[in-house]
Amino acid sequence: MMGHELAEINLGQQSVHKETSKEVISIENLNVFRNGTQILKDVDLRINSGDYVGIVGPNGGGKTTLLMALLGNLARKSGTIKLFGTDIQKFTDWHRIAYVSQDAINFDNSFPVTVRELVSLGRLGRGRPGRRFKKEDWDKVEEVLEFMGLTGMARKRVGQLSGGQKQRVFIAKALVRSPELLLLDEPVAGVDAQNQEQFHKLLSVLNSQKGTTILLVSHDLAVVFCRMSKVVCVNRDVHSSELTPDLDPESFLRQGYGEHFHFVFHKHDCEADFSKQEVTINGGLK
């Protein structure tokens, strides 16, 4: 096949075409300051369609700042950011990108909104508040609720849910507009270990079967090196690498964490590759 190769990914009745060599994110010489302090320095980074990227680094190193810059929420001192081949200053297709913040599950439990209502807000996107929903909107909401295993609790108030259930609701809200790029900032903070496990299984399915490009900020280095395809280490400077068998994790991570850093990691300690398994989350995802 000449040019870009296309791979078809099937999930239920859905069919997603993934252009395997397409650049989703392109950053060159990016410099970002906050309150007079340089947070990101001379960043060069490429993320391709279908990448599953773990963003790691010490606290305060600039991981969240990098996501905010990608969302256009922070001014750049210099450098360029392109999203899907378009300079961020001219980019308008924000429906192709979804973001879940690290504070998402810190929801006001007294707020009277149901799971279905909150998920449906994801259909509005930027610049579309107040529009009337069509049948296709509600059909998509129901489809995502089922996919996430949330159908049985769709009428419950969000405040009645556990931390892990809330996390799935906010992921559903992000997915309901079928984004091609999903940005997650420490999404399992405050979630118990069992639900973290289920959450990571879900992301593997989204990436491998739906072709969603995922960037996930995490402090769980084992999860990143076991389950993702690329790692980005941020500590003002940004270093990135494909997760290949010949990569030495400790040597790579010392570029961001410092020479004192030690990380003992053995690939055979990883659990099964969830991208190749059937996964069930409360009966909703197989």
Side-chain angles (χ1 to χ4, degrees), residues 45-61:
L45 183 64
R46 303 286 185 277
I47 304 298
N48 292 326
S49 177
D51 281 348
Y52 186 6
V53 184
I55 301 176
V56 302
N59 289 331

PDB file of all heavy atoms in Angstrom, residues 45-61:
ATOM      1  N   LEU A  45       8.319  17.636  20.614  1.00  0.00           N
ATOM      2  CA  LEU A  45       7.579  16.415  20.890  1.00  0.00           C
ATOM      3  C   LEU A  45       6.669  16.074  19.719  1.00  0.00           C
ATOM      4  O   LEU A  45       6.038  16.953  19.140  1.00  0.00           O
ATOM      5  CB  LEU A  45       6.731  16.592  22.167  1.00  0.00           C
ATOM      6  CG  LEU A  45       5.929  15.388  22.659  1.00  0.00           C
ATOM      7  CD1 LEU A  45       6.849  14.251  23.061  1.00  0.00           C
ATOM      8  CD2 LEU A  45       5.020  15.799  23.819  1.00  0.00           C
ATOM      9  N   ARG A  46       6.621  14.788  19.377  1.00  0.00           N
ATOM     10  CA  ARG A  46       5.728  14.295  18.330  1.00  0.00           C
ATOM     11  C   ARG A  46       4.907  13.148  18.897  1.00  0.00           C
ATOM     12  O   ARG A  46       5.432  12.211  19.487  1.00  0.00           O
ATOM     13  CB  ARG A  46       6.522  13.773  17.121  1.00  0.00           C
ATOM     14  CG  ARG A  46       7.478  14.784  16.492  1.00  0.00           C
ATOM     15  CD  ARG A  46       6.737  15.845  15.681  1.00  0.00           C
ATOM     16  NE  ARG A  46       7.673  16.717  14.991  1.00  0.00           N
ATOM     17  CZ  ARG A  46       8.276  17.760  15.536  1.00  0.00           C
ATOM     18  NH1 ARG A  46       8.028  18.061  16.807  1.00  0.00           N
ATOM     19  NH2 ARG A  46       9.108  18.512  14.838  1.00  0.00           N
ATOM     20  N   ILE A  47       3.592  13.227  18.699  1.00  0.00           N
ATOM     21  CA  ILE A  47       2.684  12.162  19.091  1.00  0.00           C
ATOM     22  C   ILE A  47       1.892  11.749  17.857  1.00  0.00           C
ATOM     23  O   ILE A  47       1.280  12.596  17.190  1.00  0.00           O
ATOM     24  CB  ILE A  47       1.708  12.612  20.201  1.00  0.00           C
ATOM     25  CG1 ILE A  47       2.475  13.146  21.420  1.00  0.00           C
ATOM     26  CG2 ILE A  47       0.777  11.463  20.584  1.00  0.00           C
ATOM     27  CD1 ILE A  47       3.360  12.135  22.091  1.00  0.00           C
ATOM     28  N   ASN A  48       1.907  10.467  17.545  1.00  0.00           N
ATOM     29  CA  ASN A  48       1.216   9.964  16.364  1.00  0.00           C
ATOM     30  C   ASN A  48      -0.145   9.368  16.711  1.00  0.00           C
ATOM     31  O   ASN A  48      -0.412   8.990  17.857  1.00  0.00           O
ATOM     32  CB  ASN A  48       2.060   8.897  15.666  1.00  0.00           C
ATOM     33  CG  ASN A  48       3.323   9.476  15.044  1.00  0.00           C
ATOM     34  OD1 ASN A  48       3.327  10.613  14.568  1.00  0.00           O
ATOM     35  ND2 ASN A  48       4.392   8.699  15.054  1.00  0.00           N
ATOM     36  N   SER A  49      -0.985   9.258  15.707  1.00  0.00           N
ATOM     37  CA  SER A  49      -2.300   8.647  15.873  1.00  0.00           C
ATOM     38  C   SER A  49      -2.148   7.236  16.421  1.00  0.00           C
ATOM     39  O   SER A  49      -1.345   6.447  15.945  1.00  0.00           O
ATOM     40  CB  SER A  49      -3.018   8.615  14.529  1.00  0.00           C
ATOM     41  OG  SER A  49      -4.267   7.977  14.635  1.00  0.00           O
ATOM     42  N   GLY A  50      -2.914   6.927  17.459  1.00  0.00           N
ATOM     43  CA  GLY A  50      -2.886   5.602  18.061  1.00  0.00           C
ATOM     44  C   GLY A  50      -1.862   5.429  19.163  1.00  0.00           C
ATOM     45  O   GLY A  50      -1.819   4.367  19.794  1.00  0.00           O
ATOM     46  N   ASP A  51      -1.037   6.445  19.430  1.00  0.00           N
ATOM     47  CA  ASP A  51      -0.082   6.350  20.538  1.00  0.00           C
ATOM     48  C   ASP A  51      -0.825   6.306  21.878  1.00  0.00           C
ATOM     49  O   ASP A  51      -1.861   6.957  22.064  1.00  0.00           O
ATOM     50  CB  ASP A  51       0.877   7.550  20.544  1.00  0.00           C
ATOM     51  CG  ASP A  51       1.996   7.416  19.525  1.00  0.00           C
ATOM     52  OD1 ASP A  51       2.176   6.319  18.973  1.00  0.00           O
ATOM     53  OD2 ASP A  51       2.687   8.420  19.283  1.00  0.00           O
ATOM     54  N   TYR A  52      -0.260   5.551  22.812  1.00  0.00           N
ATOM     55  CA  TYR A  52      -0.755   5.507  24.184  1.00  0.00           C
ATOM     56  C   TYR A  52       0.410   5.974  25.044  1.00  0.00           C
ATOM     57  O   TYR A  52       1.367   5.248  25.261  1.00  0.00           O
ATOM     58  CB  TYR A  52      -1.179   4.081  24.518  1.00  0.00           C
ATOM     59  CG  TYR A  52      -1.854   3.891  25.862  1.00  0.00           C
ATOM     60  CD1 TYR A  52      -2.182   4.963  26.687  1.00  0.00           C
ATOM     61  CD2 TYR A  52      -2.184   2.609  26.297  1.00  0.00           C
ATOM     62  CE1 TYR A  52      -2.809   4.772  27.894  1.00  0.00           C
ATOM     63  CE2 TYR A  52      -2.810   2.397  27.518  1.00  0.00           C
ATOM     64  CZ  TYR A  52      -3.124   3.474  28.308  1.00  0.00           C
ATOM     65  OH  TYR A  52      -3.740   3.289  29.526  1.00  0.00           O
ATOM     66  N   VAL A  53       0.331   7.218  25.514  1.00  0.00           N
ATOM     67  CA  VAL A  53       1.486   7.926  26.057  1.00  0.00           C
ATOM     68  C   VAL A  53       1.345   8.140  27.560  1.00  0.00           C
ATOM     69  O   VAL A  53       0.350   8.693  28.030  1.00  0.00           O
ATOM     70  CB  VAL A  53       1.663   9.295  25.364  1.00  0.00           C
ATOM     71  CG1 VAL A  53       2.921   9.992  25.869  1.00  0.00           C
ATOM     72  CG2 VAL A  53       1.704   9.127  23.850  1.00  0.00           C
ATOM     73  N   GLY A  54       2.355   7.734  28.309  1.00  0.00           N
ATOM     74  CA  GLY A  54       2.424   8.040  29.723  1.00  0.00           C
ATOM     75  C   GLY A  54       3.308   9.252  29.943  1.00  0.00           C
ATOM     76  O   GLY A  54       4.455   9.287  29.485  1.00  0.00           O
ATOM     77  N   ILE A  55       2.780  10.260  30.617  1.00  0.00           N
ATOM     78  CA  ILE A  55       3.538  11.462  30.942  1.00  0.00           C
ATOM     79  C   ILE A  55       3.928  11.394  32.413  1.00  0.00           C
ATOM     80  O   ILE A  55       3.071  11.346  33.297  1.00  0.00           O
ATOM     81  CB  ILE A  55       2.724  12.739  30.670  1.00  0.00           C
ATOM     82  CG1 ILE A  55       2.313  12.800  29.188  1.00  0.00           C
ATOM     83  CG2 ILE A  55       3.525  13.991  31.039  1.00  0.00           C
ATOM     84  CD1 ILE A  55       1.424  13.986  28.845  1.00  0.00           C
ATOM     85  N   VAL A  56       5.231  11.350  32.674  1.00  0.00           N
ATOM     86  CA  VAL A  56       5.732  11.183  34.034  1.00  0.00           C
ATOM     87  C   VAL A  56       6.705  12.321  34.359  1.00  0.00           C
ATOM     88  O   VAL A  56       7.075  13.114  33.502  1.00  0.00           O
ATOM     89  CB  VAL A  56       6.430   9.826  34.201  1.00  0.00           C
ATOM     90  CG1 VAL A  56       5.479   8.686  33.870  1.00  0.00           C
ATOM     91  CG2 VAL A  56       7.689   9.732  33.328  1.00  0.00           C
ATOM     92  N   GLY A  57       7.125  12.364  35.618  1.00  0.00           N
ATOM     93  CA  GLY A  57       8.069  13.388  36.045  1.00  0.00           C
ATOM     94  C   GLY A  57       7.777  13.824  37.464  1.00  0.00           C
ATOM     95  O   GLY A  57       6.698  13.564  38.002  1.00  0.00           O
ATOM     96  N   PRO A  58       8.732  14.492  38.105  1.00  0.00           N
ATOM     97  CA  PRO A  58       8.540  14.913  39.501  1.00  0.00           C
ATOM     98  C   PRO A  58       7.445  15.960  39.632  1.00  0.00           C
ATOM     99  O   PRO A  58       7.091  16.638  38.656  1.00  0.00           O
ATOM    100  CB  PRO A  58       9.911  15.486  39.879  1.00  0.00           C
ATOM    101  CG  PRO A  58      10.539  15.875  38.582  1.00  0.00           C
ATOM    102  CD  PRO A  58      10.046  14.889  37.571  1.00  0.00           C
ATOM    103  N   ASN A  59       6.917  16.086  40.831  1.00  0.00           N
ATOM    104  CA  ASN A  59       5.898  17.106  41.093  1.00  0.00           C
ATOM    105  C   ASN A  59       6.452  18.491  40.765  1.00  0.00           C
ATOM    106  O   ASN A  59       7.593  18.806  41.094  1.00  0.00           O
ATOM    107  CB  ASN A  59       5.474  17.064  42.562  1.00  0.00           C
ATOM    108  CG  ASN A  59       4.648  15.836  42.887  1.00  0.00           C
ATOM    109  OD1 ASN A  59       3.955  15.297  42.035  1.00  0.00           O
ATOM    110  ND2 ASN A  59       4.717  15.391  44.137  1.00  0.00           N
ATOM    111  N   GLY A  60       5.629  19.299  40.121  1.00  0.00           N
ATOM    112  CA  GLY A  60       6.037  20.649  39.758  1.00  0.00           C
ATOM    113  C   GLY A  60       6.916  20.724  38.526  1.00  0.00           C
ATOM    114  O   GLY A  60       7.417  21.794  38.178  1.00  0.00           O
ATOM    115  N   GLY A  61       7.099  19.588  37.856  1.00  0.00           N
ATOM    116  CA  GLY A  61       7.990  19.555  36.695  1.00  0.00           C
ATOM    117  C   GLY A  61       7.397  20.117  35.424  1.00  0.00           C
ATOM    118  O   GLY A  61       8.132  20.393  34.466  1.00  0.00           O
TER     119      GLY A  61
END
